[in-house]
Amino acid sequence: FFSRQSAPPVRFCRAAVLCLSQESARMANLTPSQTEALNMFREVTAGAREDEAAVQILTSCGWNVEQALQLHWAAGDDHSVPAAAAASSSGALGAPLLRGGGSSDEARGSAGSGSSSSTARDAVTAAAASSSGPVRSLVAWITSGLRRIGATFFSIISTFIFGPGGPRIGGGTTSGAAFSGALAASYGANLQLPRFFEGSFTQALQTAQRELKLLVVFLHSEHARDAQSFCTNVLGNDIVKTMLDEGFVLWGGDIARMEAHHVSQMIHARQYPCFCVLLPASVDEIRVIGAVQGDVQVDATIALLVGCSEEMDSHRSEIVARSAQHVEDRYLREEQDREYQQALEMDKKRQEERAEQERVERETQREAEELRKKEEEEFARFEADRISLDTELKRQAAALGVPGAEATVCIALRLPAGQRAQRKFRPTAPLSEVYVWASCVGYLSENEGRGLEIPKRFMLKTSFPCRDLTEMESTIDDLKLAGSQLVLAEIEDES
């Protein structure tokens, strides 16, 4: 195009600047869902493309992340991370990957070494590009544009052939048998693969923890350069297959699927295929104790599995002891809960007994109070009757007065206590007058101070012969009571 000494035409440079400005404006106008899709594309591709290129390929695929990833891997990328195989197995079984429900941001933070090295390479590349002058930048811009045009064309062809979702391995299921069948269909029907776990990644973790085994995660990408070699030479190896079937729980997934993508983020996968060994130390703690990625050989894989198995044997007793401690703690908590419940029941029973005793005491007190009130009312009524009777008897005594000259008949009266009293009456006086005198004899002036007590109910009788005097209208002469001695007899209550 141009020599190093010459400058590109001004109109052509303005067009380049205008295009870059449009790309920046497009980045600033992304919706939240588009920004999320862009971030996911960056994580899966490890930042292999620039932001403008990533937005371009996502836009051409209608912001379908899976289709954009397939288009990216099919088109190839000059900035992809070189293949590397790395295995790590420290004496502490690696740093915890998840602890207490840690977020993906913490997981990404623990992978700082890989990110810093990539940033350094980008800085060196940028410095070299700036020193080569505007002509080289223009050539790079034209190459990037041609690549975008080719990616758009491939996206249209892929959508036309495979549909909006693009080709996916394993169909619509996540079972281990379907995944193994898809690998065999892609790399040979006679391919003998290890037994993959039937279920989700979470279920595989629970199974490995329950069986005290290590969990091996195999992340596959059909667009990776070493995918076929790994499946046929490594997974198809008899030694690797036997070791995985007998001593590990093997879970596999295609990173084009969301679950496998999340797993790749969690274990910080940078290349595919990715073969990682995890230790589910507890319910909320998972450790990565070894991994190989990219161009992986059989010897490296066997060495990784053997090393992890030896370390697992040394730490299995720790896991068993921790499980036994958990069981003992659970039994202790249950025993404490039972004792607490028994204490609560005893307290409740004592409270009920105390409440019953208080109720009985209140009832007894209420009955005693009612009896006291009743006795007081009866006593008050008795006193009122006595006072009323005394008043009436005093009135009757005052009405009798002193016997007149006509009173010539003397009648004597003997009381129940042996006391005696006498009074003169008229011969024509009725018997009722004698009864009135007998009832108020104690209130007469001549008997004051003698303490005569007269019953409330009484009857007069003759002493000899004994005869009851009940004819109230009969006179003293009629009853022949002159000079006689009468007896006052108390009438007992029938009750």
Side-chain angles (χ1 to χ4, degrees), residues 257-269:
R257 297 195 174 279
M258 192 58 64
E259 182 182 23
H261 167 66
H262 290 325
V263 174
S264 69
Q265 288 182 309
M266 184 182 67
I267 65 176
H268 319 308

Side-chain angles (χ1 to χ4, degrees), residues 28-166:
N29 295 328
L30 294 181
T31 63
S33 60
Q34 292 174 346
T35 303
E36 182 179 0
L38 177 60
N39 293 335
M40 183 179 297
F41 184 86
R42 289 171 178 170
E43 292 175 359
V44 175
T45 60
R49 291 182 181 269
E50 298 178 355
D51 290 345
E52 292 81 2
V55 171
Q56 179 68 24
I57 193 172
L58 285 169
T59 304
S60 65
C61 297
W63 291 94
N64 186 318
V65 179
E66 293 184 0
Q67 184 176 349
L69 289 173
Q70 295 164 5
L71 182 59
H72 164 73
W73 288 316
D77 196 342
D78 296 338
H79 302 284
S80 60
V81 181
S88 62
S89 56
S90 62
L93 286 182
L97 180 63
L98 296 178
R99 186 185 298 274
S103 62
S104 60
D105 293 337
E106 296 174 352
R108 285 193 298 271
S110 63
S113 59
S115 300
S116 60
S117 61
S118 177
T119 304
R121 286 195 300 270
D122 293 342
V124 173
T125 304
S130 60
S131 62
S132 61
V135 176
R136 187 169 182 178
S137 299
L138 180 60
V139 173
W141 178 80
I142 295 174
T143 304
S144 177
L146 293 176
R147 184 183 301 149
R148 293 172 186 172
I149 296 174
T152 304
F153 179 76
F154 179 82
S155 174
I156 296 174
I157 298 300
S158 177
T159 303
F160 178 77
I161 296 176
F162 300 106

Side-chain angles (χ1 to χ4, degrees), residues 169-171 175-189 191 193-194 196 198:
I169 188 167
S175 68
F179 181 70
S180 180
L183 293 178
S186 299
Y187 305 120
L191 182 62
L193 296 173
F196 287 94
E198 296 288 342

Side-chain angles (χ1 to χ4, degrees), residues 392-467:
E392 181 64 19
L393 293 176
K394 287 180 181 179
R395 186 189 64 78
Q396 291 177 0
L400 286 177
V402 181
E406 297 85 3
T408 58
V409 178
C410 182
I411 296 178
L413 181 64
R414 190 179 66 182
L415 301 178
Q419 300 166 327
R420 296 178 183 272
Q422 63 180 8
R423 184 181 174 85
K424 290 183 177 181
F425 294 90
R426 293 178 293 110
T428 58
L431 181 63
S432 59
E433 187 174 332
V434 179
Y435 266 90
V436 171
W437 167 70
S439 62
C440 63
V441 65
Y443 295 93
L444 295 176
S445 58
E446 63 267 22
N447 296 323
E448 290 183 357
R450 295 181 58 186
L452 301 180
E453 294 183 0
I454 308 300
K456 186 181 295 185
R457 298 180 61 193
F458 62 90
M459 180 181 290
L460 297 178
K461 299 181 180 182
T462 59
S463 58
F464 185 82
C466 184
R467 177 168 56 93

Side-chain angles (χ1 to χ4, degrees), residues 313-327:
D313 292 338
S314 63
H315 289 271
R316 184 174 281 108
S317 58
E318 176 187 351
I319 297 175
V320 172
R322 185 180 302 177
S323 300
Q325 184 64 37
H326 288 169
V327 173

